[in-house]
């Protein structure tokens, strides 16, 4: 079974631009969560999508948004990029809603975003 | 305030030796605690998930313990191997009105030296 895939793996943008990252979950998984990881802050939860609906949200500004499609694939969008948005963005999938129990989460390799 | 603190921040041990990583939390109400291993340049991989009633859980050479009274967890690595070199992240979930709030530690970076 293929794992979680994320595209692109690396991305360089400039301040003020917007970016869209893509995540394909493990086949059969219906929940997709997004995380931001930086050296200073560590892993921070962005949001979780399940059945095309956002089910849980972290403390990030509205510039960060996402969506999930009927095939469970998910996209994350960051508008008006700032230097501080440079980070590794990780996507994780689970069979059921991750935030509702002890469901195991499987992470993708991440997208390394650099904002210049 | 919900917090997860991990210690040490970094650790170097010789191959074949054992080590223990610590995780202290103030997350409430507690739902579960997870340990992840993250290799450089890769996404985290789940090692263990522990609920309130579980004191210990093993996954091969990795053994996690949980003391819900003192709000402490540890991850013990036995007979370390070079491939154990990675960051280990402790994540505690608080159950909040039907969903879970995740609180992440900043991780312990382990280097196993030959």
């Amino acid at each position: 079974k293929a794992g979680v895939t994320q595209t692109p793996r690396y991305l360089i943008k400039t301040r003020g631009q917007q970016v869209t990252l893509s995540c394909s979950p493990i086949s059969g998984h219906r929940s997709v969560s997004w995380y931001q990881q930086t050296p200073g802050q560590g892993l921070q939860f962005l949001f979780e999508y399940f059945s095309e609906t956002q089910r849980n949200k972290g403390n990030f500004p509205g510039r960060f948004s996402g969506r999930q499609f009927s095939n469970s694939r998910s996209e994350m969008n960051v508008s008006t990029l700032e230097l501080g948005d440079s980070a590794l963005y990780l996507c994780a999938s689970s069979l059921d809603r991750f935030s509702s129990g002890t469901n195991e989460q499987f992470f993708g390799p991440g997208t390394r975003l650099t904002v210049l | 305030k919900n917090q997860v603190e991990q210690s040490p921040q970094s650790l170097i041990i010789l191959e074949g030796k054992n080590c223990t990583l610590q995780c202290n939390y103030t997350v409430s109400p507690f739902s579960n605690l997870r340990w992840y291993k993250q290799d450089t340049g890769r996404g985290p991989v789940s090692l263990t998930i522990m609920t309130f009633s579980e004191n210990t859980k093993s996954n091969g050479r990795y053994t996690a313990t949980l003391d819900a009274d003192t709000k402490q967890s540890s991850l013990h690595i036995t007979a370390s191997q070079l491939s154990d070199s990675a960051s280990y992240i402790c994540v505690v979930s608080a159950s909040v009105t039907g969903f879970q709030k995740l609180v992440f530690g900043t991780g312990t970076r382990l280097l196993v030296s030959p």
Side-chain angles (χ1 to χ4, degrees), chain A residues 9-17 19 21 35-44 46 60-61 63-64 76 78-90 110-116:
Chain A
R9 292 293 312 277
Y10 302 91
L11 205 48
I12 299 175
K13 292 284 188 179
T14 55
R15 278 181 299 174
Q17 288 187 306
V19 66
L21 312 182
Y35 299 85
Q36 181 195 67
Q37 187 174 35
T38 59
Q41 298 290 323
L43 263 169
Q44 295 184 87
L46 279 156
F60 277 82
R63 298 185 298 107
F64 292 81
M76 190 192 88
V78 187
S79 62
T80 320
L81 283 166
E82 300 177 359
L83 295 178
D85 297 332
S86 293
L88 179 68
Y89 289 89
L90 291 160
T111 294
R112 172 77 61 186
L113 172 65
T114 301
V115 182
L116 303 176

Side-chain angles (χ1 to χ4, degrees), chain A residues 23 34 38 41-42 45 47 60 65 71 73 75 100 107 116:
Chain A
C23 172
W34 287 91
T38 59
Q41 298 290 323
F45 173 72
F47 28 65
F60 277 82
S65 63
N71 62 358
R73 191 178 70 83
E75 288 182 346
S100 66
F107 283 83
L116 303 176

